[in-house]
Every structure is written in structure tokens, then in C-alpha cells.
Amino acid sequence: MELRADLHVHSIASDGRLSPSELVRYAARVGLSVMALTDHDSAEGVAEAVETARQYPSLLVLPGVEINTDMPHSELHMLGFCMEYRDPVFQKELCGLRMGRLERGRAMVSKLAGLGIIIDWDRVQHLAGDGSVGRPHVAQAILESGYVKTLGEAFDRYIGREGPAYIEREKITPQKAVKLIIDAGGFAVMAHPHSFSPGKIEELLSELVPAGLSGLEVYYGNNKPADVEWLVSIAGKHSLLTSGGSDYHGFGGEKETGLGNADVPTGCIDKFLQRAAKHQPGLVQQWNLTAAR
Ligand code: AMP
Ligand code: ZN
Ligand code: FE
Ligand code: FE
């Protein structure tokens, strides 16, 4: 049976536009079989997503997270899947990362003010709602205040990595993120690795595979076939799982593809689900039975 999956999706629990329930309903409407909610440094939306998915027996919703981790001069995003998301230690660590994001968001607003870009911190917080504060919220506030014409311009001129108002976030190492995910009962997958060179990925894998990394996100948004090909071969060489997702945020930016549009092959989804079943047997079995009906 052909399956369609999107294993990288953001909600209002971080910097996505839709609530977890809205995302689940949308996923069902576009005919997805599997969706993982992977908010930045947050699993706060997972319970709602899993609960809503009970109304859609043919849709399996898996717990996920995307943890932003620190490397010299850059960062690496680590996806976690199928954790026991209510685990108190896991929750506490993520909460710490979100507190760091709050302080950093406020500091960026001050830095912007020093550059003559006056935006309201309350507005940024309002845009983030209960979710993790991120640069997209700051970018939105800059846009609303009329300083730029697009969100991309806010990044290019002010808050991109090389921008004058950019501030580092409190981050953890990739190894620590892998451990956090495993300790909470999940498995870790390196997000959008095509942003690194093949050489850099090999270097990263030499440390992260021994640390317990399980997979690479090979099918991503509108990845080119050539990217997919070399990532599949690297994953094979290291006996890693592959995953795929759109990184849907719901704002329709230039780089964004629609929910479910990552062309994840059914073979990849099958292997992913075999692994998911070891970590979240209840969720997967429930879905299998009902979907088979
Ligand atoms: P943060 O985690 O707060 O550092 O924000 C990172 C998020 O900002 C990414 O996940 C993207 O959604 C968004 N982002 C980063 N760079 C850009 C860019 N140049 N244009 C638009 N969005 C961006
Ligand atoms: Zn995001
Ligand atoms: Fe990411
Ligand atoms: Fe993402």
C-alpha cells in the first residue's frame, strides 16, 4: 500500500502558523497516513495532536521534536521521534531551552532598538503565544512595523546569522540532544543534513553515530534528486534510517513546500514505522488495526 508521510512539521507550539489540531485536520484532509509534529525545542503540542488524531483512524500522528543544537560557527537541528513526551526530565530540558529563547528574543529586540528598529517586545511575545519564541516571530514584528517588505528581508538585513541584531541562542551540543531524545525513549535523526557538505556530514556522523544517532532526514521539502541520492548512500553506509518531511510552518515563504510535499517513498516510511513501533507500540498498533479496516 502506498503511504504518504510528513515527518517534519511545526505548529504554534513553536513558530508554525497552525495549532496542533488544525495541522492534524489538514494532514487528514490532504490524505497523509503519517505525520510527526516536530516543534523547535518543544513537545508541548504533541498531546493535542495525538488526541485530535483519534478522530482520524487512517492518520498516525507521532510525537516529535526538533532540537536546535550548537556547533562552532553553525548549528545542527536534531529531530527526535517517538519519545515519551511527558517524561519530566525531557520536559524540563526543553523548558530550559525555551527560557533561553525568551531571553534571547528580548535581547534581539533591544539590539534592534539600538539600530533604530523599534519593535514591541509584547508584540513578539504575542506572536509567539504559548510557543517557543523564535526569529520568525521577531521577523514578523519587524515586518508589521514597516521596516521591511518581506520576512526574508528581516533576516537578510537584521536577524540572519550574520545580521547586526542576531544573537545566539542557548543551545546544547548535538550529542546531548541525541542523549536527551534516547533517554526519553525516542530516536534521533539529523534534520536537513543537505545543508552540510558531504565531508562535514561524515565528520559529524563519526561522532554522532557512536552517540546513538539513528537516522538522516533525506527527503526534505524540495530537495534535489542529487541531494537525495548522496544522502541515501551516506545513510546506507552508516546503516542509518532515513526520514523525510516538508518542514511546514504554514507561512508560505519562498522556501516552504506544502504539508506532505516531501515525496517520502513508501519504503522509507515502512522502515521508519518499524522503528517507531518499537518506541510507541500503542500508537502504531492502534493505527495499523484501524487503518486496515
Ligand atoms: P531560531 O530558531 O529562533 O534561530 O529561528 C530559526 C528559524 O527561522 C528557522 O527554523 C526558519 O524557520 C527561520 N529562518 C531562518 N533563516 C531564515 C531566512 N533567511 N528567511 C526566512 N526564515 C528563516
Ligand atoms: Zn521553524
Ligand atoms: Fe530545522
Ligand atoms: Fe524545522
Side-chain angles (χ1 to χ4, degrees), residues 42-51 61-65 82-92 94 184-186 280 283:
S42 175
E44 297 291 308
V46 170
E48 180 186 318
V50 168
E51 181 56 34
V61 170
L62 294 172
V65 70
C82 298
M83 301 78 46
E84 175 36 72
Y85 50 94
R86 288 160 292 215
D87 179 278
V89 176
F90 184 66
Q91 287 292 356
K92 186 161 164 280
L94 293 183
Q280 286 283 357
L283 280 179

Side-chain angles (χ1 to χ4, degrees), residues 53-195:
R54 290 158 71 99
Q55 298 162 31
Y56 302 97
S58 62
L59 174 64
L60 170 63
V61 170
L62 294 172
V65 70
E66 180 176 26
I67 301 179
N68 296 45
T69 76
D70 196 19
M71 297 199 308
H73 313 297
S74 66
E75 58 179 71
L76 186 155
H77 294 181
M78 191 64 73
L79 294 166
F81 294 104
C82 298
M83 301 78 46
E84 175 36 72
Y85 50 94
R86 288 160 292 215
D87 179 278
V89 176
F90 184 66
Q91 287 292 356
K92 186 161 164 280
E93 289 284 345
L94 293 183
C95 191
L97 292 172
R98 292 198 295 276
M99 294 310 284
R101 280 175 168 279
L102 262 181
E103 285 163 30
R104 174 248 201 174
R106 198 194 286 271
M108 281 197 288
V109 169
S110 306
K111 227 170 159 182
L112 283 163
L115 298 165
I117 307 300
I118 313 298
I119 59 168
D120 202 355
W121 170 240
D122 286 346
R123 181 61 191 154
V124 176
Q125 275 196 300
H126 179 78
L127 288 166
D130 293 330
S132 313
V133 176
R135 280 182 290 158
H137 305 117
V138 177
Q140 179 67 28
I142 299 174
L143 177 77
E144 287 175 1
S145 304
Y147 294 104
V148 294
K149 293 202 173 58
T150 63
L151 292 176
E153 190 187 344
F155 279 90
D156 292 343
R157 288 177 60 187
Y158 303 111
I159 57 171
R161 239 191 129 75
E162 309 301 328
Y166 176 73
I167 291 185
E168 287 280 335
R169 199 159 10 83
E170 186 184 322
K171 282 179 270 183
I172 58 177
T173 63
Q175 284 86 345
K176 181 160 180 204
V178 171
K179 182 169 179 348
L180 206 63
I181 290 162
I182 294 174
D183 287 352
F187 58 98
V189 171
M190 193 195 292
H192 37 74
H194 63 282
S195 56

Side-chain angles (χ1 to χ4, degrees), residues 8 10 40 66 247:
H8 189 156
H10 295 273
H40 298 283
E66 180 176 26
D247 208 353

